[in-house]
Amino acid sequence: MSTHEGMTQEIRTVFWQDGAVVMIDQKALPLAERYVACSDYREVIAAINDLTVRGAPAIGVAAAMGIALGALRIPDSPPENFRRAFDDICTRFAATRPTARNLFWAIERMKRRCEEAYGVDREGLPEKGKGGPLQAIRETLIAEAIRIGEEDIEINRRLGRNGRDLIPDGARILTHCNAGALATAGYGTALGVLRAAREEGKKIHVYVDETRPVLQGARLTVWELMREDIPCTLIADNMAGCLMQKGGVDLVIVGADRIAANGDTANKIGTFGLAVLARAHGIPFYVAAPLSTIDPELADGGMIPIEERNPDEVIRCGGVRTAPNGVAVWNPAFDVTPNGLIAAIVTEAGVIRTPCADVIQQFCPPQPRRQDR
Amino acid sequence: MSTHEGMTQEIRTVFWQDGAVVMIDQKALPLAERYVACSDYREVIAAINDLTVRGAPAIGVAAAMGIALGALRIPDSPPENFRRAFDDICTRFAATRPTARNLFWAIERMKRRCEEAYGVDREGLPEKGKGGPLQAIRETLIAEAIRIGEEDIEINRRLGRNGRDLIPDGARILTHCNAGALATAGYGTALGVLRAAREEGKKIHVYVDETRPVLQGARLTVWELMREDIPCTLIADNMAGCLMQKGGVDLVIVGADRIAANGDTANKIGTFGLAVLARAHGIPFYVAAPLSTIDPELADGGMIPIEERNPDEVIRCGGVRTAPNGVAVWNPAFDVTPNGLIAAIVTEAGVIRTPCADVIQQFCPPQPRRQDR
């Protein structure tokens, strides 16, 4: 994994370049803006696990590109081993982070693409391409991964246009964690809606929960907003209730890591508490996510697997240990907000008002799949 | 200000020793257990401001002792200047932290003691004592400050006994910030109730909010609980809602910095949000505080002055900067929980069920005072 400093004008979170998966190092932000280039798929797995890249859509894009990278290194012979090695790589990516639906969505899409490249007979050998019998498949997989990234940006722009009418001119908006360009291939989901509202000329002010334990709000969302001169104020997570009590919040908008068929939404830990507080204050609570975050096979949020992460994230603050040695810690990375607390889910296909099982089934019919849970 | 390492068996947060105000350094906990000895009242003011000592009752004790320390250094002559110098010292202490009622309560008590020592004629000179005309007053003030500290521990023990019946055997309790021995002269308010329940032989498990931005929960409450082998689990503040949703919390108990006549309670930022979440889950929410925290002159919590602290507390996490340079921050140190969300207020005089204006008036009739707001 090599790193190099520098920053393009538009935030590009994860992209394919010169046979490597390049990503902005989200662990280093905002103190340093640097990119890491992964030339081995295991580096991409490590980057997903250690949050160098995070955010459900961005994880999906990184996994797709990582799988393509892995396919590049599968030996040409014997060619019948390719599928087994490819499936093994996919399984390794599936074992990284259990909650983000987009991860599994991207893995399934790459697997389907691989199957298609093999031809209708799934056990058959591929047609020969230039550079050996498997080179055509490898190129197909790389192209598919790049397409997933490009589509993600376009999806977010459509999602933003769909959601911008929910943002009144002059609105004071509360968001949690980072559902911005950094959580996607670019533009963002919740922050994409806010960007789209700004592009219409609306004035907004964004309150940003710092989002312990990993501080994605303080480190990433504030960085994104300040970079585009969007007025924002950082608060500790536990200040959100007081801010609402004082009438300082007109709406809440967050991203999502997985949405069940009934609209129940898993998102960064703390989201559920915000939704309860918003309801208590009569403040609309919105979720913004691409359809690839929706898991139509799960009837409700109780079935969403919730990742628990290393206690060190809580015991340490800004990298410095702050709690006594040996303390027990509970560190769920996500919680589930019931659909009844969500006013609407903004997607690239339109704004879904909850409860919404039927609409979600219409947008996202359940599909057979193998790579999940 | 001198420091020395070491730890007595029982936590003594602030005490008078050899003509100095000694306090455990709460900024250094839990990584280091060390005491600071203040021999100048201005060091005590600095220690209150920078949170070396914190917690409303402990601030009250520290201020009383700091005022006594200041009185020691007022020159003997001309004796008619003593009162003016004494009042000036009191004014400086009153300017430290605006929300903690116990601070003003302690200042008023020291002023009354000073007036009494001067005799009925407030403008008159004191009776002569050994060591000069003012020595008797100085000794009276020192004795009064020490008494305030001793009484605080005894009050907490009574408060604990009054509240322990609220804690069922086997209860899983959520607390916020530190309302323990470290927030008082010793034993604690909310944690005093839990200690009293333990002394009865009840089993409990305490979930501790880390309590950003200053992390009093992670640093201080966990340290206190682990020191006494009280089972506890540390969580980030934004995990409390999810824990309640999963049925993991039987009750919430917190301390208070100021309680209005109707029971509205100012406490560490985040308390209000917890109370809303507790209500949404049908979980009882208790406040534990001595009567000296009650401000019967304030009809409701809207009149409680709320301190806003340095943005650096939020921009930094564990002392390390985590947010981009120049970010705007909102950092209120406290919020106000309306009485309707509080099941009961535990005091040394008994358990007050809310709404409670009449009971509070009975316990704490308004008194004339000058040193506040």
Side-chain angles (χ1 to χ4, degrees):
Chain A
M1 193 184 295
S2 65
T3 70
H4 60 97
E5 306 286 332
M7 190 67 211
T8 54
Q9 191 56 26
E10 189 144 310
I11 299 169
R12 293 188 67 193
T13 304
V14 51
F15 52 98
W16 184 273
Q17 191 172 62
D18 301 333
V21 181
V22 183
M23 47 186 86
I24 190 165
D25 182 355
Q26 302 200 37
K27 290 195 303 174
L29 282 173
L31 303 185
E33 293 176 27
R34 102 184 145 212
Y35 287 81
V36 295
C38 303
S39 52
D40 185 302
Y41 80 91
R42 287 166 296 199
E43 293 174 341
V44 180
I45 287 176
I48 292 172
N49 276 323
D50 75 4
L51 310 184
T52 299
V53 62
R54 33 63 53 198
I59 290 170
V61 174
M65 292 183 178
I67 288 167
L69 195 61
L72 270 184
R73 303 296 175 90
I74 301 173
D76 262 0
S77 70
E80 59 271 27
N81 277 5
F82 183 87
R83 284 295 302 279
R84 198 165 51 217
F86 179 81
D87 282 349
D88 177 62
I89 291 167
C90 289
T91 302
R92 286 167 188 246
F93 274 95
T96 52
R97 302 201 59 195
T99 305
R101 170 65 194 135
N102 313 62
L103 169 65
F104 305 101
W105 172 89
I107 293 170
E108 287 155 26
R109 184 158 154 181
M110 292 299 283
K111 286 187 132 177
R112 276 199 304 276
R113 201 75 194 91
C114 186
E115 282 174 13
E116 286 162 14
Y118 255 84
V120 179
D121 177 4
R122 292 182 180 190
E123 298 309 314
L125 282 177
E127 296 179 20
K128 285 197 196 320
K130 55 183 175 182
L134 300 167
Q135 195 56 24
I137 295 182
R138 295 195 187 98
E139 284 168 11
T140 296
L141 291 170
I142 291 169
E144 184 73 355
I146 291 171
R147 197 175 305 121
I148 287 174
E150 288 169 349
E151 284 176 10
D152 187 62
I153 296 173
E154 181 44 42
I155 283 168
N156 289 335
R157 291 191 180 275
R158 284 211 300 280
L159 186 160
R161 285 192 295 273
N162 287 340
R164 65 188 177 192
D165 287 350
L166 298 172
I167 313 297
D169 190 25
R172 296 154 309 164
I173 298 134
L174 178 64
T175 192
H176 189 66
C177 195
N178 173 269
L182 291 168
T184 62
Y187 201 72
T189 53
L191 296 194
V193 171
L194 302 186
R195 285 192 166 96
R198 280 264 293 192
E199 286 162 14
E200 278 193 306
K202 288 176 183 164
K203 285 195 174 133
I204 58 172
H205 189 103
V206 185
Y207 286 92
V208 181
D209 276 356
E210 64 173 6
T211 318
R212 279 281 287 155
V214 183
L215 298 167
Q216 293 93 337
R219 296 191 302 104
L220 307 178
T221 298
V222 168
W223 178 80
E224 272 197 53
L225 295 173
M226 288 180 76
R227 209 166 167 278
E228 297 181 24
D229 289 326
I230 299 178
C232 64
T233 301
L234 175 65
I235 62 172
D237 300 318
N238 63 28
M239 296 168 187
C242 183
L243 185 62
M244 292 183 191
Q245 187 188 40
K246 289 179 179 298
V249 180
D250 298 307
L251 64 96
V252 182
I253 189 163
V254 298
D257 290 82
R258 192 185 296 219
I259 301 174
N262 68 344
D264 291 354
T265 295
N267 189 46
K268 178 55 54 199
I269 187 73
T271 300
F272 166 65
L274 282 187
V276 171
L277 285 163
R279 168 60 52 91
H281 291 89
I283 297 166
F285 184 92
Y286 301 116
V287 169
L291 296 179
S292 54
T293 303
I294 297 176
D295 190 345
E297 288 187 7
L298 299 189
D300 62 60
M303 301 166 74
I304 300 176
I306 298 296
E307 175 183 10
E308 291 198 25
R309 292 186 59 85
N310 194 316
D312 257 9
E313 291 181 351
V314 177
I315 290 170
R316 289 170 187 279
C317 199
V320 177
R321 186 167 69 82
T322 52
N325 270 326
V327 62
V329 167
W330 184 53
N331 184 20
F334 307 96
D335 58 26
V336 175
T337 300
N339 60 14
L341 295 176
I342 300 167
I345 299 172
V346 184
T347 76
E348 71 271 30
V351 175
I352 306 172
R353 297 278 167 181
T354 56
C356 50
D358 50 343
V359 183
I360 283 179
Q361 294 285 344
Q362 175 194 325
F363 283 149
C364 307
Q367 294 186 353
R369 64 179 200 226
R370 301 163 310 194
Q371 198 59 256
D372 198 352
R373 285 182 298 284
Chain B
M1 193 184 294
S2 64
T3 71
H4 59 96
E5 306 285 333
M7 190 66 211
T8 53
Q9 190 57 26
E10 188 144 313
I11 299 169
R12 293 189 66 194
T13 305
V14 51
F15 52 98
W16 184 271
Q17 190 172 61
D18 303 332
V21 181
V22 183
M23 50 186 83
I24 191 165
D25 182 355
Q26 302 199 38
K27 289 195 301 174
L29 283 172
L31 303 184
E33 293 178 27
R34 97 181 150 216
Y35 286 81
V36 295
C38 303
S39 53
D40 185 302
Y41 80 92
R42 286 165 297 197
E43 293 174 342
V44 180
I45 287 174
I48 292 171
N49 277 324
D50 76 5
L51 310 184
T52 300
V53 62
R54 35 60 57 196
I59 290 170
V61 174
M65 291 182 178
I67 288 167
L69 194 62
L72 270 184
R73 302 297 175 88
I74 300 172
D76 263 0
S77 71
E80 60 271 25
N81 277 5
F82 183 86
R83 282 297 299 281
R84 198 165 49 215
F86 179 81
D87 282 348
D88 177 62
I89 290 167
C90 289
T91 302
R92 287 167 187 245
F93 274 95
T96 51
R97 301 201 58 195
T99 305
R101 171 65 194 134
N102 313 62
L103 169 66
F104 305 101
W105 173 89
I107 293 170
E108 286 155 27
R109 184 158 154 182
M110 292 299 282
K111 286 187 130 176
R112 277 200 303 277
R113 200 76 195 91
C114 186
E115 281 173 13
E116 286 163 13
Y118 254 86
V120 180
D121 176 4
R122 291 180 180 192
E123 298 309 315
L125 281 176
E127 296 182 21
K128 285 194 195 320
K130 55 187 175 178
L134 300 168
Q135 195 56 23
I137 295 181
R138 295 194 185 99
E139 285 167 8
T140 297
L141 291 171
I142 292 169
E144 184 73 355
I146 292 172
R147 196 174 306 121
I148 288 174
E150 289 168 347
E151 285 176 10
D152 186 62
I153 297 174
E154 181 45 42
I155 283 167
N156 289 337
R157 290 191 180 276
R158 285 211 301 280
L159 185 160
R161 286 191 294 273
N162 288 340
R164 65 188 175 190
D165 288 349
L166 299 172
I167 313 298
D169 190 23
R172 297 155 308 165
I173 298 134
L174 178 63
T175 191
H176 189 66
C177 196
N178 174 270
L182 291 169
T184 62
Y187 200 71
T189 54
L191 296 194
V193 171
L194 303 187
R195 285 192 166 94
R198 281 265 292 192
E199 288 162 13
E200 277 192 306
K202 287 175 184 163
K203 285 194 174 134
I204 58 173
H205 189 101
V206 186
Y207 286 92
V208 181
D209 275 355
E210 64 173 6
T211 318
R212 279 281 289 157
V214 183
L215 298 168
Q216 293 93 338
R219 296 191 303 104
L220 307 178
T221 298
V222 168
W223 179 80
E224 273 198 53
L225 295 173
M226 288 181 76
R227 211 167 167 276
E228 297 181 23
D229 288 325
I230 299 177
C232 63
T233 301
L234 174 65
I235 61 172
D237 300 318
N238 62 28
M239 296 168 188
C242 183
L243 185 63
M244 293 183 190
Q245 187 189 39
K246 289 179 178 297
V249 179
D250 298 307
L251 64 96
V252 181
I253 188 163
V254 298
D257 291 83
R258 193 184 296 219
I259 300 174
N262 68 343
D264 290 352
T265 295
N267 189 47
K268 178 56 55 197
I269 187 72
T271 301
F272 166 66
L274 282 187
V276 171
L277 284 164
R279 169 60 51 90
H281 291 89
I283 297 166
F285 183 93
Y286 301 116
V287 170
L291 297 178
S292 54
T293 303
I294 297 176
D295 190 343
E297 288 188 7
L298 299 190
D300 64 59
M303 303 166 73
I304 299 175
I306 299 296
E307 175 184 9
E308 290 197 26
R309 292 185 60 84
N310 194 317
D312 257 9
E313 291 181 351
V314 177
I315 290 170
R316 289 170 186 279
C317 199
V320 177
R321 185 166 70 83
T322 51
N325 269 327
V327 61
V329 167
W330 184 52
N331 184 20
F334 307 97
D335 57 26
V336 175
T337 301
N339 60 15
L341 295 176
I342 300 168
I345 300 173
V346 184
T347 77
E348 70 272 31
V351 176
I352 306 172
R353 297 278 167 181
T354 55
C356 51
D358 49 342
V359 183
I360 283 179
Q361 293 285 344
Q362 174 193 326
F363 283 149
C364 307
Q367 294 186 355
R369 65 182 199 225
R370 300 162 310 195
Q371 199 59 257
D372 199 352
R373 285 184 297 285

